[in-house]
Amino acid sequence: MLLVDHEIKIPSKVNPNLKLRVLKGHFATVHSHINCYIDMTMLKYRHSEAAEVAKSMASDYQYNKPIDTIVVTDGCEVIGAYLAEELKKNGVMSLNTHDSLYIVTPEIGAGGQMIFRDNIQPMIRNKNILLLLASATTGRTIARGIECIQYYGGIVQGVSAIFSASGEIFGHEVHHIFGADDLDDYQAFSQETCPFCQKGQKLDAMVNSFGYSEL
């Protein structure tokens, strides 16, 4: 079965120019099993859609908090660059001496730990940080990102995701374009409690922030 043949598109309630592409099935992520794979390929890599994502995200940060650095995960670098432009247009203040924002991506270690090399650390230390990611389901990526930023002396001022299953994770509000109410039947399970596994149903694909590989 080709999963792409079973794709559905869900329009955004806040931006009619954006649609979430969803595949239904039995999928395994690093942390959990899920019944819907959210394909954000076009939202992250097509410049017109990435620009629209950035516009929607920027509206959550008008004038209220300074942002010096955008820490990007899940392959959202294109969105991060557009978001920096939109934040400046909206009057968001940067305390950097050159009045410009940094866009950086943490390095991921073998155990999933996030690190910043010495040449990047000055862009984190004592800086006001916006954490940008594609999706937040279990919240573990957000937790690791916040822990990493704080370890290197950064100040988390906001968390934004294209999709989040919750409006708040680990005490931080997650600004998002698509939420659990856009996918009424979205569910995530541990491997031990996954109903698909308990029924003996095989995985359709392995998924992560880069995409999916059918099995």
Side-chain angles (χ1 to χ4, degrees), residues 173-209:
E173 181 181 2
V174 182
H175 300 284
H176 53 275
I177 298 172
F178 297 94
D181 57 336
D182 293 300
L183 286 102
D184 295 334
D185 58 347
Y186 178 88
Q187 293 179 296
F189 317 93
S190 67
Q191 183 176 352
E192 294 74 21
T193 62
C194 175
F196 299 112
C197 292
Q198 292 174 356
K199 295 176 183 176
Q201 182 176 334
K202 293 184 178 181
L203 289 167
D204 293 306
M206 302 291 292
V207 301
N208 61 18
S209 61

PDB file of all heavy atoms in Angstrom, residues 173-209:
ATOM      1  N   GLU A 173       3.594  27.534  27.347  1.00  0.00           N
ATOM      2  CA  GLU A 173       2.562  27.613  26.319  1.00  0.00           C
ATOM      3  C   GLU A 173       3.177  27.276  24.971  1.00  0.00           C
ATOM      4  O   GLU A 173       4.260  27.765  24.631  1.00  0.00           O
ATOM      5  CB  GLU A 173       1.953  29.004  26.284  1.00  0.00           C
ATOM      6  CG  GLU A 173       0.854  29.170  25.243  1.00  0.00           C
ATOM      7  CD  GLU A 173       0.272  30.561  25.187  1.00  0.00           C
ATOM      8  OE1 GLU A 173       0.757  31.436  25.937  1.00  0.00           O
ATOM      9  OE2 GLU A 173      -0.663  30.777  24.387  1.00  0.00           O
ATOM     10  N   VAL A 174       2.505  26.424  24.213  1.00  0.00           N
ATOM     11  CA  VAL A 174       2.987  26.060  22.879  1.00  0.00           C
ATOM     12  C   VAL A 174       2.088  26.740  21.851  1.00  0.00           C
ATOM     13  O   VAL A 174       0.932  26.347  21.652  1.00  0.00           O
ATOM     14  CB  VAL A 174       2.975  24.533  22.673  1.00  0.00           C
ATOM     15  CG1 VAL A 174       3.543  24.189  21.289  1.00  0.00           C
ATOM     16  CG2 VAL A 174       3.788  23.840  23.761  1.00  0.00           C
ATOM     17  N   HIS A 175       2.602  27.771  21.206  1.00  0.00           N
ATOM     18  CA  HIS A 175       1.856  28.429  20.133  1.00  0.00           C
ATOM     19  C   HIS A 175       1.883  27.502  18.916  1.00  0.00           C
ATOM     20  O   HIS A 175       2.944  27.026  18.515  1.00  0.00           O
ATOM     21  CB  HIS A 175       2.501  29.774  19.781  1.00  0.00           C
ATOM     22  CG  HIS A 175       2.541  30.733  20.929  1.00  0.00           C
ATOM     23  ND1 HIS A 175       1.423  31.417  21.363  1.00  0.00           N
ATOM     24  CD2 HIS A 175       3.557  31.115  21.733  1.00  0.00           C
ATOM     25  CE1 HIS A 175       1.747  32.192  22.384  1.00  0.00           C
ATOM     26  NE2 HIS A 175       3.033  32.024  22.635  1.00  0.00           N
ATOM     27  N   HIS A 176       0.716  27.253  18.331  1.00  0.00           N
ATOM     28  CA  HIS A 176       0.678  26.315  17.219  1.00  0.00           C
ATOM     29  C   HIS A 176      -0.374  26.736  16.194  1.00  0.00           C
ATOM     30  O   HIS A 176      -1.330  27.443  16.507  1.00  0.00           O
ATOM     31  CB  HIS A 176       0.387  24.895  17.711  1.00  0.00           C
ATOM     32  CG  HIS A 176      -0.832  24.786  18.562  1.00  0.00           C
ATOM     33  ND1 HIS A 176      -0.831  25.026  19.923  1.00  0.00           N
ATOM     34  CD2 HIS A 176      -2.116  24.459  18.264  1.00  0.00           C
ATOM     35  CE1 HIS A 176      -2.042  24.853  20.418  1.00  0.00           C
ATOM     36  NE2 HIS A 176      -2.850  24.504  19.416  1.00  0.00           N
ATOM     37  N   ILE A 177      -0.162  26.274  14.973  1.00  0.00           N
ATOM     38  CA  ILE A 177      -1.081  26.568  13.869  1.00  0.00           C
ATOM     39  C   ILE A 177      -2.153  25.489  13.773  1.00  0.00           C
ATOM     40  O   ILE A 177      -3.317  25.780  13.505  1.00  0.00           O
ATOM     41  CB  ILE A 177      -0.298  26.676  12.545  1.00  0.00           C
ATOM     42  CG1 ILE A 177       0.706  27.825  12.633  1.00  0.00           C
ATOM     43  CG2 ILE A 177      -1.249  26.891  11.361  1.00  0.00           C
ATOM     44  CD1 ILE A 177       1.663  27.895  11.462  1.00  0.00           C
ATOM     45  N   PHE A 178      -1.756  24.249  13.974  1.00  0.00           N
ATOM     46  CA  PHE A 178      -2.686  23.123  13.986  1.00  0.00           C
ATOM     47  C   PHE A 178      -2.607  22.452  15.357  1.00  0.00           C
ATOM     48  O   PHE A 178      -1.522  22.332  15.933  1.00  0.00           O
ATOM     49  CB  PHE A 178      -2.325  22.096  12.902  1.00  0.00           C
ATOM     50  CG  PHE A 178      -2.409  22.620  11.501  1.00  0.00           C
ATOM     51  CD1 PHE A 178      -1.283  23.128  10.870  1.00  0.00           C
ATOM     52  CD2 PHE A 178      -3.604  22.600  10.798  1.00  0.00           C
ATOM     53  CE1 PHE A 178      -1.341  23.605   9.569  1.00  0.00           C
ATOM     54  CE2 PHE A 178      -3.676  23.083   9.497  1.00  0.00           C
ATOM     55  CZ  PHE A 178      -2.541  23.585   8.887  1.00  0.00           C
ATOM     56  N   GLY A 179      -3.778  22.036  15.858  1.00  0.00           N
ATOM     57  CA  GLY A 179      -3.815  21.395  17.166  1.00  0.00           C
ATOM     58  C   GLY A 179      -4.600  20.105  17.150  1.00  0.00           C
ATOM     59  O   GLY A 179      -5.076  19.644  16.097  1.00  0.00           O
ATOM     60  N   ALA A 180      -4.747  19.512  18.327  1.00  0.00           N
ATOM     61  CA  ALA A 180      -5.453  18.236  18.443  1.00  0.00           C
ATOM     62  C   ALA A 180      -6.891  18.341  17.953  1.00  0.00           C
ATOM     63  O   ALA A 180      -7.457  17.363  17.469  1.00  0.00           O
ATOM     64  CB  ALA A 180      -5.417  17.755  19.890  1.00  0.00           C
ATOM     65  N   ASP A 181      -7.493  19.531  18.053  1.00  0.00           N
ATOM     66  CA  ASP A 181      -8.873  19.686  17.591  1.00  0.00           C
ATOM     67  C   ASP A 181      -8.980  19.626  16.076  1.00  0.00           C
ATOM     68  O   ASP A 181     -10.072  19.438  15.536  1.00  0.00           O
ATOM     69  CB  ASP A 181      -9.471  20.998  18.117  1.00  0.00           C
ATOM     70  CG  ASP A 181      -8.668  22.222  17.715  1.00  0.00           C
ATOM     71  OD1 ASP A 181      -7.452  22.076  17.440  1.00  0.00           O
ATOM     72  OD2 ASP A 181      -9.232  23.325  17.671  1.00  0.00           O
ATOM     73  N   ASP A 182      -7.846  19.799  15.371  1.00  0.00           N
ATOM     74  CA  ASP A 182      -7.846  19.647  13.914  1.00  0.00           C
ATOM     75  C   ASP A 182      -7.788  18.178  13.510  1.00  0.00           C
ATOM     76  O   ASP A 182      -8.141  17.826  12.381  1.00  0.00           O
ATOM     77  CB  ASP A 182      -6.667  20.392  13.291  1.00  0.00           C
ATOM     78  CG  ASP A 182      -6.798  21.896  13.448  1.00  0.00           C
ATOM     79  OD1 ASP A 182      -7.794  22.443  12.950  1.00  0.00           O
ATOM     80  OD2 ASP A 182      -5.920  22.509  14.081  1.00  0.00           O
ATOM     81  N   LEU A 183      -7.324  17.319  14.433  1.00  0.00           N
ATOM     82  CA  LEU A 183      -7.284  15.886  14.196  1.00  0.00           C
ATOM     83  C   LEU A 183      -7.999  15.215  15.362  1.00  0.00           C
ATOM     84  O   LEU A 183      -7.379  14.827  16.354  1.00  0.00           O
ATOM     85  CB  LEU A 183      -5.843  15.370  14.117  1.00  0.00           C
ATOM     86  CG  LEU A 183      -5.064  15.710  12.850  1.00  0.00           C
ATOM     87  CD1 LEU A 183      -4.112  16.859  13.113  1.00  0.00           C
ATOM     88  CD2 LEU A 183      -4.278  14.507  12.395  1.00  0.00           C
ATOM     89  N   ASP A 184      -9.307  15.105  15.235  1.00  0.00           N
ATOM     90  CA  ASP A 184     -10.108  14.601  16.344  1.00  0.00           C
ATOM     91  C   ASP A 184      -9.705  13.201  16.781  1.00  0.00           C
ATOM     92  O   ASP A 184      -9.852  12.839  17.950  1.00  0.00           O
ATOM     93  CB  ASP A 184     -11.597  14.610  15.960  1.00  0.00           C
ATOM     94  CG  ASP A 184     -12.124  16.025  15.738  1.00  0.00           C
ATOM     95  OD1 ASP A 184     -11.548  16.951  16.317  1.00  0.00           O
ATOM     96  OD2 ASP A 184     -13.087  16.180  14.976  1.00  0.00           O
ATOM     97  N   ASP A 185      -9.208  12.400  15.849  1.00  0.00           N
ATOM     98  CA  ASP A 185      -8.901  11.017  16.189  1.00  0.00           C
ATOM     99  C   ASP A 185      -7.405  10.778  16.382  1.00  0.00           C
ATOM    100  O   ASP A 185      -6.947   9.637  16.425  1.00  0.00           O
ATOM    101  CB  ASP A 185      -9.436  10.068  15.122  1.00  0.00           C
ATOM    102  CG  ASP A 185      -8.869  10.371  13.728  1.00  0.00           C
ATOM    103  OD1 ASP A 185      -8.276  11.452  13.558  1.00  0.00           O
ATOM    104  OD2 ASP A 185      -9.016   9.516  12.830  1.00  0.00           O
ATOM    105  N   TYR A 186      -6.611  11.853  16.499  1.00  0.00           N
ATOM    106  CA  TYR A 186      -5.170  11.690  16.687  1.00  0.00           C
ATOM    107  C   TYR A 186      -4.887  11.053  18.043  1.00  0.00           C
ATOM    108  O   TYR A 186      -5.418  11.481  19.070  1.00  0.00           O
ATOM    109  CB  TYR A 186      -4.445  13.037  16.601  1.00  0.00           C
ATOM    110  CG  TYR A 186      -2.956  12.926  16.826  1.00  0.00           C
ATOM    111  CD1 TYR A 186      -2.095  12.676  15.770  1.00  0.00           C
ATOM    112  CD2 TYR A 186      -2.418  13.052  18.103  1.00  0.00           C
ATOM    113  CE1 TYR A 186      -0.731  12.556  15.968  1.00  0.00           C
ATOM    114  CE2 TYR A 186      -1.053  12.930  18.313  1.00  0.00           C
ATOM    115  CZ  TYR A 186      -0.222  12.693  17.237  1.00  0.00           C
ATOM    116  OH  TYR A 186       1.132  12.567  17.444  1.00  0.00           O
ATOM    117  N   GLN A 187      -4.044  10.006  18.060  1.00  0.00           N
ATOM    118  CA  GLN A 187      -3.686   9.346  19.304  1.00  0.00           C
ATOM    119  C   GLN A 187      -2.221   8.933  19.279  1.00  0.00           C
ATOM    120  O   GLN A 187      -1.689   8.543  18.233  1.00  0.00           O
ATOM    121  CB  GLN A 187      -4.555   8.103  19.536  1.00  0.00           C
ATOM    122  CG  GLN A 187      -6.030   8.412  19.798  1.00  0.00           C
ATOM    123  CD  GLN A 187      -6.842   7.147  19.996  1.00  0.00           C
ATOM    124  OE1 GLN A 187      -6.975   6.338  19.088  1.00  0.00           O
ATOM    125  NE2 GLN A 187      -7.381   6.973  21.186  1.00  0.00           N
ATOM    126  N   ALA A 188      -1.602   9.010  20.448  1.00  0.00           N
ATOM    127  CA  ALA A 188      -0.222   8.552  20.611  1.00  0.00           C
ATOM    128  C   ALA A 188      -0.175   7.577  21.773  1.00  0.00           C
ATOM    129  O   ALA A 188      -0.842   7.770  22.790  1.00  0.00           O
ATOM    130  CB  ALA A 188       0.699   9.738  20.869  1.00  0.00           C
ATOM    131  N   PHE A 189       0.615   6.512  21.616  1.00  0.00           N
ATOM    132  CA  PHE A 189       0.693   5.469  22.634  1.00  0.00           C
ATOM    133  C   PHE A 189       2.149   5.098  22.874  1.00  0.00           C
ATOM    134  O   PHE A 189       3.005   5.293  22.005  1.00  0.00           O
ATOM    135  CB  PHE A 189      -0.042   4.193  22.183  1.00  0.00           C
ATOM    136  CG  PHE A 189      -1.368   4.411  21.516  1.00  0.00           C
ATOM    137  CD1 PHE A 189      -1.462   4.506  20.134  1.00  0.00           C
ATOM    138  CD2 PHE A 189      -2.536   4.540  22.262  1.00  0.00           C
ATOM    139  CE1 PHE A 189      -2.675   4.699  19.498  1.00  0.00           C
ATOM    140  CE2 PHE A 189      -3.754   4.729  21.648  1.00  0.00           C
ATOM    141  CZ  PHE A 189      -3.833   4.820  20.266  1.00  0.00           C
ATOM    142  N   SER A 190       2.422   4.554  24.047  1.00  0.00           N
ATOM    143  CA  SER A 190       3.706   3.896  24.249  1.00  0.00           C
ATOM    144  C   SER A 190       3.661   2.568  23.511  1.00  0.00           C
ATOM    145  O   SER A 190       2.575   2.053  23.192  1.00  0.00           O
ATOM    146  CB  SER A 190       3.965   3.660  25.739  1.00  0.00           C
ATOM    147  OG  SER A 190       3.052   2.705  26.249  1.00  0.00           O
ATOM    148  N   GLN A 191       4.829   2.009  23.230  1.00  0.00           N
ATOM    149  CA  GLN A 191       4.845   0.727  22.520  1.00  0.00           C
ATOM    150  C   GLN A 191       4.110  -0.346  23.316  1.00  0.00           C
ATOM    151  O   GLN A 191       3.429  -1.206  22.748  1.00  0.00           O
ATOM    152  CB  GLN A 191       6.290   0.295  22.271  1.00  0.00           C
ATOM    153  CG  GLN A 191       6.399  -1.004  21.474  1.00  0.00           C
ATOM    154  CD  GLN A 191       7.840  -1.364  21.162  1.00  0.00           C
ATOM    155  OE1 GLN A 191       8.745  -0.585  21.399  1.00  0.00           O
ATOM    156  NE2 GLN A 191       8.051  -2.548  20.627  1.00  0.00           N
ATOM    157  N   GLU A 192       4.200  -0.265  24.654  1.00  0.00           N
ATOM    158  CA  GLU A 192       3.588  -1.279  25.498  1.00  0.00           C
ATOM    159  C   GLU A 192       2.065  -1.201  25.496  1.00  0.00           C
ATOM    160  O   GLU A 192       1.377  -2.210  25.682  1.00  0.00           O
ATOM    161  CB  GLU A 192       4.100  -1.151  26.939  1.00  0.00           C
ATOM    162  CG  GLU A 192       5.584  -1.444  27.126  1.00  0.00           C
ATOM    163  CD  GLU A 192       6.489  -0.339  26.603  1.00  0.00           C
ATOM    164  OE1 GLU A 192       6.008   0.816  26.464  1.00  0.00           O
ATOM    165  OE2 GLU A 192       7.671  -0.616  26.337  1.00  0.00           O
ATOM    166  N   THR A 193       1.515   0.006  25.300  1.00  0.00           N
ATOM    167  CA  THR A 193       0.061   0.174  25.371  1.00  0.00           C
ATOM    168  C   THR A 193      -0.588   0.359  24.008  1.00  0.00           C
ATOM    169  O   THR A 193      -1.789   0.591  23.926  1.00  0.00           O
ATOM    170  CB  THR A 193      -0.295   1.381  26.263  1.00  0.00           C
ATOM    171  OG1 THR A 193       0.253   2.583  25.675  1.00  0.00           O
ATOM    172  CG2 THR A 193       0.259   1.210  27.671  1.00  0.00           C
ATOM    173  N   CYS A 194       0.195   0.268  22.927  1.00  0.00           N
ATOM    174  CA  CYS A 194      -0.332   0.505  21.578  1.00  0.00           C
ATOM    175  C   CYS A 194      -1.384  -0.543  21.220  1.00  0.00           C
ATOM    176  O   CYS A 194      -1.095  -1.748  21.189  1.00  0.00           O
ATOM    177  CB  CYS A 194       0.806   0.467  20.562  1.00  0.00           C
ATOM    178  SG  CYS A 194       0.243   0.618  18.851  1.00  0.00           S
ATOM    179  N   PRO A 195      -2.622  -0.136  20.928  1.00  0.00           N
ATOM    180  CA  PRO A 195      -3.677  -1.097  20.588  1.00  0.00           C
ATOM    181  C   PRO A 195      -3.426  -1.816  19.270  1.00  0.00           C
ATOM    182  O   PRO A 195      -3.861  -2.964  19.087  1.00  0.00           O
ATOM    183  CB  PRO A 195      -4.939  -0.242  20.524  1.00  0.00           C
ATOM    184  CG  PRO A 195      -4.452   1.142  20.246  1.00  0.00           C
ATOM    185  CD  PRO A 195      -3.132   1.257  20.937  1.00  0.00           C
ATOM    186  N   PHE A 196      -2.715  -1.160  18.345  1.00  0.00           N
ATOM    187  CA  PHE A 196      -2.391  -1.810  17.072  1.00  0.00           C
ATOM    188  C   PHE A 196      -1.456  -2.993  17.310  1.00  0.00           C
ATOM    189  O   PHE A 196      -1.635  -4.076  16.750  1.00  0.00           O
ATOM    190  CB  PHE A 196      -1.744  -0.822  16.109  1.00  0.00           C
ATOM    191  CG  PHE A 196      -2.603   0.351  15.742  1.00  0.00           C
ATOM    192  CD1 PHE A 196      -2.269   1.629  16.157  1.00  0.00           C
ATOM    193  CD2 PHE A 196      -3.746   0.187  14.978  1.00  0.00           C
ATOM    194  CE1 PHE A 196      -3.062   2.715  15.824  1.00  0.00           C
ATOM    195  CE2 PHE A 196      -4.548   1.261  14.629  1.00  0.00           C
ATOM    196  CZ  PHE A 196      -4.200   2.532  15.058  1.00  0.00           C
ATOM    197  N   CYS A 197      -0.456  -2.771  18.150  1.00  0.00           N
ATOM    198  CA  CYS A 197       0.492  -3.839  18.462  1.00  0.00           C
ATOM    199  C   CYS A 197      -0.199  -4.981  19.207  1.00  0.00           C
ATOM    200  O   CYS A 197       0.065  -6.162  18.955  1.00  0.00           O
ATOM    201  CB  CYS A 197       1.650  -3.297  19.298  1.00  0.00           C
ATOM    202  SG  CYS A 197       2.742  -2.167  18.407  1.00  0.00           S
ATOM    203  N   GLN A 198      -1.095  -4.608  20.106  1.00  0.00           N
ATOM    204  CA  GLN A 198      -1.809  -5.629  20.885  1.00  0.00           C
ATOM    205  C   GLN A 198      -2.683  -6.512  19.992  1.00  0.00           C
ATOM    206  O   GLN A 198      -2.933  -7.674  20.304  1.00  0.00           O
ATOM    207  CB  GLN A 198      -2.640  -4.955  21.969  1.00  0.00           C
ATOM    208  CG  GLN A 198      -1.800  -4.309  23.057  1.00  0.00           C
ATOM    209  CD  GLN A 198      -2.617  -3.512  24.055  1.00  0.00           C
ATOM    210  OE1 GLN A 198      -3.836  -3.364  23.908  1.00  0.00           O
ATOM    211  NE2 GLN A 198      -1.960  -2.980  25.082  1.00  0.00           N
ATOM    212  N   LYS A 199      -3.147  -5.938  18.865  1.00  0.00           N
ATOM    213  CA  LYS A 199      -3.949  -6.711  17.910  1.00  0.00           C
ATOM    214  C   LYS A 199      -3.079  -7.451  16.889  1.00  0.00           C
ATOM    215  O   LYS A 199      -3.598  -8.156  16.026  1.00  0.00           O
ATOM    216  CB  LYS A 199      -4.907  -5.781  17.157  1.00  0.00           C
ATOM    217  CG  LYS A 199      -5.968  -5.134  18.020  1.00  0.00           C
ATOM    218  CD  LYS A 199      -6.788  -4.157  17.193  1.00  0.00           C
ATOM    219  CE  LYS A 199      -7.815  -3.422  18.044  1.00  0.00           C
ATOM    220  NZ  LYS A 199      -8.561  -2.396  17.253  1.00  0.00           N
ATOM    221  N   GLY A 200      -1.765  -7.251  16.974  1.00  0.00           N
ATOM    222  CA  GLY A 200      -0.867  -7.898  16.025  1.00  0.00           C
ATOM    223  C   GLY A 200      -0.777  -7.190  14.694  1.00  0.00           C
ATOM    224  O   GLY A 200      -0.277  -7.759  13.710  1.00  0.00           O
ATOM    225  N   GLN A 201      -1.245  -5.934  14.622  1.00  0.00           N
ATOM    226  CA  GLN A 201      -1.200  -5.179  13.366  1.00  0.00           C
ATOM    227  C   GLN A 201       0.200  -4.625  13.143  1.00  0.00           C
ATOM    228  O   GLN A 201       0.759  -3.943  13.999  1.00  0.00           O
ATOM    229  CB  GLN A 201      -2.213  -4.020  13.415  1.00  0.00           C
ATOM    230  CG  GLN A 201      -2.267  -3.209  12.121  1.00  0.00           C
ATOM    231  CD  GLN A 201      -3.345  -2.148  12.165  1.00  0.00           C
ATOM    232  OE1 GLN A 201      -4.332  -2.289  12.879  1.00  0.00           O
ATOM    233  NE2 GLN A 201      -3.164  -1.073  11.411  1.00  0.00           N
ATOM    234  N   LYS A 202       0.779  -4.911  12.009  1.00  0.00           N
ATOM    235  CA  LYS A 202       2.140  -4.494  11.711  1.00  0.00           C
ATOM    236  C   LYS A 202       2.208  -2.983  11.457  1.00  0.00           C
ATOM    237  O   LYS A 202       1.223  -2.344  11.093  1.00  0.00           O
ATOM    238  CB  LYS A 202       2.667  -5.249  10.489  1.00  0.00           C
ATOM    239  CG  LYS A 202       2.847  -6.738  10.722  1.00  0.00           C
ATOM    240  CD  LYS A 202       3.453  -7.417   9.505  1.00  0.00           C
ATOM    241  CE  LYS A 202       3.674  -8.898   9.758  1.00  0.00           C
ATOM    242  NZ  LYS A 202       4.281  -9.581   8.576  1.00  0.00           N
ATOM    243  N   LEU A 203       3.403  -2.449  11.643  1.00  0.00           N
ATOM    244  CA  LEU A 203       3.637  -1.033  11.379  1.00  0.00           C
ATOM    245  C   LEU A 203       3.536  -0.743   9.884  1.00  0.00           C
ATOM    246  O   LEU A 203       3.962  -1.550   9.051  1.00  0.00           O
ATOM    247  CB  LEU A 203       5.024  -0.618  11.872  1.00  0.00           C
ATOM    248  CG  LEU A 203       5.238  -0.549  13.380  1.00  0.00           C
ATOM    249  CD1 LEU A 203       6.721  -0.446  13.691  1.00  0.00           C
ATOM    250  CD2 LEU A 203       4.491   0.660  13.962  1.00  0.00           C
ATOM    251  N   ASP A 204       2.964   0.412   9.553  1.00  0.00           N
ATOM    252  CA  ASP A 204       2.935   0.859   8.160  1.00  0.00           C
ATOM    253  C   ASP A 204       4.231   1.566   7.783  1.00  0.00           C
ATOM    254  O   ASP A 204       4.685   1.478   6.643  1.00  0.00           O
ATOM    255  CB  ASP A 204       1.753   1.813   7.933  1.00  0.00           C
ATOM    256  CG  ASP A 204       0.419   1.110   8.059  1.00  0.00           C
ATOM    257  OD1 ASP A 204       0.228   0.095   7.368  1.00  0.00           O
ATOM    258  OD2 ASP A 204      -0.422   1.564   8.857  1.00  0.00           O
ATOM    259  N   ALA A 205       4.822   2.285   8.754  1.00  0.00           N
ATOM    260  CA  ALA A 205       6.030   3.043   8.444  1.00  0.00           C
ATOM    261  C   ALA A 205       6.723   3.485   9.730  1.00  0.00           C
ATOM    262  O   ALA A 205       6.101   3.599  10.789  1.00  0.00           O
ATOM    263  CB  ALA A 205       5.691   4.272   7.594  1.00  0.00           C
ATOM    264  N   MET A 206       8.016   3.725   9.601  1.00  0.00           N
ATOM    265  CA  MET A 206       8.798   4.399  10.631  1.00  0.00           C
ATOM    266  C   MET A 206       8.832   5.876  10.265  1.00  0.00           C
ATOM    267  O   MET A 206       9.043   6.227   9.092  1.00  0.00           O
ATOM    268  CB  MET A 206      10.223   3.839  10.684  1.00  0.00           C
ATOM    269  CG  MET A 206      10.298   2.345  10.952  1.00  0.00           C
ATOM    270  SD  MET A 206       9.783   1.903  12.621  1.00  0.00           S
ATOM    271  CE  MET A 206      11.107   2.635  13.578  1.00  0.00           C
ATOM    272  N   VAL A 207       8.617   6.745  11.250  1.00  0.00           N
ATOM    273  CA  VAL A 207       8.530   8.174  10.948  1.00  0.00           C
ATOM    274  C   VAL A 207       9.415   8.975  11.896  1.00  0.00           C
ATOM    275  O   VAL A 207       9.631   8.592  13.046  1.00  0.00           O
ATOM    276  CB  VAL A 207       7.059   8.670  11.036  1.00  0.00           C
ATOM    277  CG1 VAL A 207       6.183   7.916  10.070  1.00  0.00           C
ATOM    278  CG2 VAL A 207       6.511   8.528  12.448  1.00  0.00           C
ATOM    279  N   ASN A 208       9.919  10.084  11.380  1.00  0.00           N
ATOM    280  CA  ASN A 208      10.617  11.064  12.213  1.00  0.00           C
ATOM    281  C   ASN A 208      10.514  12.417  11.530  1.00  0.00           C
ATOM    282  O   ASN A 208       9.716  12.594  10.587  1.00  0.00           O
ATOM    283  CB  ASN A 208      12.076  10.655  12.456  1.00  0.00           C
ATOM    284  CG  ASN A 208      12.894  10.557  11.167  1.00  0.00           C
ATOM    285  OD1 ASN A 208      12.524  11.085  10.110  1.00  0.00           O
ATOM    286  ND2 ASN A 208      14.017   9.876  11.242  1.00  0.00           N
ATOM    287  N   SER A 209      11.305  13.384  11.970  1.00  0.00           N
ATOM    288  CA  SER A 209      11.182  14.734  11.434  1.00  0.00           C
ATOM    289  C   SER A 209      11.611  14.835   9.976  1.00  0.00           C
ATOM    290  O   SER A 209      11.284  15.808   9.283  1.00  0.00           O
ATOM    291  CB  SER A 209      12.009  15.715  12.278  1.00  0.00           C
ATOM    292  OG  SER A 209      13.387  15.363  12.258  1.00  0.00           O
TER     293      SER A 209
END
